[in-house]
Structures are given as structure tokens and as C-alpha cells.
Amino acid sequence: MLHVAINLALYIALRRRITWLTSEQGILLYQALSSAVLIVVGFAGVSMDPSVRGMAGLVAATALHGIYSLSFLELWSLAEGSYSLSILEHIEQATRQDQAVDVHGLESLGGSKKEQRLGSLERLGLIRGTADQVTLTHRGRRVARVLASVARSAGVVRTE
Amino acid sequence: MWLASALFALVAAVIGQVVVARLQFGGSFVTRFLAVGGGVGLVMAGSLVRGYGWGVEFWAGVFVYAFACELYVFLVTLVDSSISVSLLLLLRQRSSSRAEIDRLSSSRAMVASRLEKLCVNGLLNCAGSSYALTPRGLRLLVLFRALRVFFHRRLLPAIGRS
């Protein structure tokens, strides 16, 4: 709990000075580094006095940090403005200004998000694009297989 | 033992959610999983307390279960709504040209699908082709804008009806 509190306090103090910490890469690296420090320090402590309870304590601390980091990343991605939240924001502004919802504008926003995501997937090495075709890489196929299993387990049917 | 309990409880929660979904009791995935997962978690916590009292093994089992559940919910909501995941699943079926990708995952269909989900989730009031935020949708927007100020220090636009 103390480590999580220090993580949050440090982030609040540093994000005004290091704007990179507000980017996706920055946040991922910050949380990964924090987890690594916790695991290394915890492991060092457990190795000095090995016990089942000590290992359980390390696992508990790591899992708690995992809950915090995942929640942190989810809140950050909300702040980035998902497509659904962008739609909500547009409808709220249109209602406040007594204007009609600009469905065409929303479609254009969706189109540009799609282009951005294709670029990101290519940078992550999950897809490969030639002039004519876009295909999954080997890594992309593995990731897609896992995601399809998750979708099946939850009964999610993608209609878009 | 506590680790095995946590992992077994996660599997039970996932299977329980699938069964509840098939029985069509209604509700979103998150509501169903919170109900089923919460129940399974309480049973698991009860068995851990009997085995370890309120010691560190109990908390390890509870936190591992909670983290695994959060990760599962995160992955499912990602699969359900992410544009990137939609593209990956589309390309898993076959390679596609850019034009085909645009046709198969058209922006019009994306908007229609999102609007429908927002209405089903109680964030929008939908009447024909007109839409308005519900109080719940407004609260979510307030949270979203506060988070944006926290992470990116952007100013908050005004909220509320004129």
C-alpha cells in the first residue's frame, strides 16, 4: 500500500515537469518500472528470510500493485477519449447549443480513428501492410486468437 | 493452496458468467460478471479465512483473484469496444485491402453500433434519430473531463443544459 501511495504521489509530482509521463508509452513504462522495483525489492527481502508467508506477502503486494496499475491505465485511456466518450461529448455539446447531432462528423471521427489504429497496429508489429493488402503477422495472429477466445468466453459478438 | 483457490475461483467465475449469459437473465457483461464473480469471490474468501484466518495468505488469495478478475473484465471490454481489436478480428478471418476494410468496418456501422450500445447501457436516451445524455451519461462525462485535466491539464468545457 505504501509503494502504491508513493507511486501515485511521485506521478502527480513528476507529470507537470516530464510531459512524456502523460503519454501512453510514458505511463506504461512508469507502471512497469514501479512493478519491477517492487518485485526486485520484495524478492530480495524474501530471499534473506525465505518462508511461504514471505512469498505470499510478495505475491499479495504484486497483485495489489497490478490492480492499481491496471486501474491507472484504464483511467488514463478514459482521459484520452475513447470513441464512445467522444460521441457522448459531441451529443452533450450539440444538446447544450440546441443543434442537431452531426452524424457525418462522428463518422469522419470514426474513420480517422480507424486509420490511426491501423498505423498503431503496424508499429506494434501485429499487421503488415503492402500497397494492396493488409495481413496479420505471426504475432498478430496469436494475439487475435487470444482475443477471439476472450470474446467467445464472454459471448461478445462484434457487429462493426 | 491460496493461489490455487484464487485461480480456481477465477475459472468458476468465468464459467458462471457464461452460464448466466446463456440463460439470458439480461444485463451487460460487466453486471453479470460482477454478480457472479462477487459471489464466487465471497465463497473463496470464506474458505481462505477458514484455512488461514486473516493472515497474509488470505490477502494474497483475495488480491490475486481481484487482479485476475479486473484483467479479465478489462480484456472483455477491450474486445467489445476497441477499434484495434475489431480490425485484428476482421483480419484474422482473411487478409483484406484497405477498401475492403473500410467496407467491412464502415464508419456508418461503427457510429450506429456505438450509439446503440450507449443507449442499451443507459448513457443515452434514444428516440428515433435524436439523442440526449441521461444523468448517468452526464456523470460519466464529468468524470472523463476531470480525468483529462488530471492527466493532460486541459481546461474543462462547461457542462449542463442551457
Side-chain angles (χ1 to χ4, degrees):
Chain A
M1 293 282 266
L2 182 63
H3 184 89
V4 165
I6 293 170
N7 176 304
L8 184 59
L10 203 58
Y11 181 81
I12 292 170
L14 290 176
R15 72 189 159 96
R16 292 185 188 276
R17 293 182 178 79
I18 309 172
T19 51
W20 179 71
L21 278 177
T22 61
S23 71
E24 184 175 23
Q25 272 184 328
I27 286 190
L28 278 171
L29 200 59
Y30 180 77
Q31 294 299 337
L33 201 60
S34 174
S35 302
V37 165
L38 174 69
I39 291 169
V40 165
V41 168
F43 202 73
V46 168
S47 0
M48 284 191 295
D49 184 19
S51 69
V52 174
R53 284 175 62 87
M55 274 310 293
L58 176 58
V59 170
T62 307
L64 188 60
H65 193 290
I67 292 167
Y68 161 73
S69 295
L70 194 52
S71 304
F72 196 95
L73 286 164
E74 285 165 356
L75 289 175
W76 175 85
S77 78
L78 265 183
E80 278 298 283
S82 67
Y83 189 27
S84 296
L85 279 171
S86 301
I87 290 174
L88 282 179
E89 195 162 35
H90 171 79
I91 292 174
E92 190 274 336
Q93 285 173 359
T95 305
R96 189 159 31 85
Q97 291 161 11
D98 203 22
Q99 292 170 353
V101 172
D102 180 11
V103 177
H104 182 68
L106 292 176
E107 290 172 9
S108 301
L109 177 64
S112 72
K113 278 188 181 280
K114 202 166 33 178
E115 283 306 311
Q116 283 169 16
R117 301 304 159 79
L118 280 171
S120 299
L121 291 173
E122 203 163 359
R123 278 191 298 278
L124 288 169
L126 298 178
I127 64 173
R128 188 185 305 116
T130 62
D132 298 324
Q133 290 289 308
V134 180
T135 58
L136 289 180
T137 60
H138 186 60
R139 187 197 304 175
R141 229 180 308 278
R142 281 205 307 264
V143 169
R145 198 178 308 129
V146 169
L147 293 170
S149 306
V150 171
R152 266 198 307 276
S153 79
V156 168
V157 177
R158 292 300 303 258
T159 55
E160 56 190 78
Chain B
M1 172 64 189
W2 48 266
L3 185 60
S5 295
L7 296 176
F8 180 75
L10 174 69
V11 170
V14 171
I15 292 172
Q17 184 279 138
V18 170
V19 168
V20 169
R22 295 282 187 270
L23 293 174
Q24 297 184 337
F25 282 125
S28 66
F29 160 76
V30 173
T31 313
R32 284 195 309 268
F33 190 78
L34 279 175
V36 173
V40 168
L42 283 174
V43 169
M44 182 204 69
S47 81
L48 287 178
V49 163
R50 272 197 303 276
Y52 302 102
W54 297 100
V56 70
E57 293 92 343
F58 166 81
W59 292 109
V62 165
F63 287 149
V64 166
Y65 176 71
F67 174 62
C69 285
E70 188 186 5
L71 187 61
Y72 178 66
V73 169
F74 168 72
L75 285 174
V76 171
T77 52
L78 185 75
V79 166
D80 191 30
S81 60
S82 162
I83 296 172
S84 303
V85 170
S86 164
L87 291 167
L88 284 174
L89 294 178
L90 183 70
L91 291 169
R92 182 170 178 255
Q93 291 166 21
R94 62 177 182 280
S95 304
S96 301
S97 64
R98 296 275 169 142
E100 238 181 327
I101 289 172
D102 284 339
R103 187 178 59 82
L104 290 170
S105 63
S106 76
S107 299
R108 182 164 297 180
M110 278 169 67
V111 171
S113 170
R114 295 300 165 112
L115 286 171
E116 190 189 337
K117 275 182 190 160
L118 290 169
C119 294
V120 163
N121 289 331
L123 299 172
L124 279 184
N125 279 326
C126 305
S129 59
S130 72
Y131 303 94
L133 264 67
T134 61
R136 195 168 155 228
L138 267 175
R139 282 196 299 273
L140 184 65
L141 211 49
V142 168
L143 171 65
F144 156 60
R145 287 171 173 168
L147 288 172
R148 202 159 46 175
V149 167
F150 174 77
F151 283 107
H152 300 295
R153 294 190 294 156
R154 285 180 214 160
L155 292 174
L156 294 170
I159 291 260
R161 305 289 165 90
S162 56

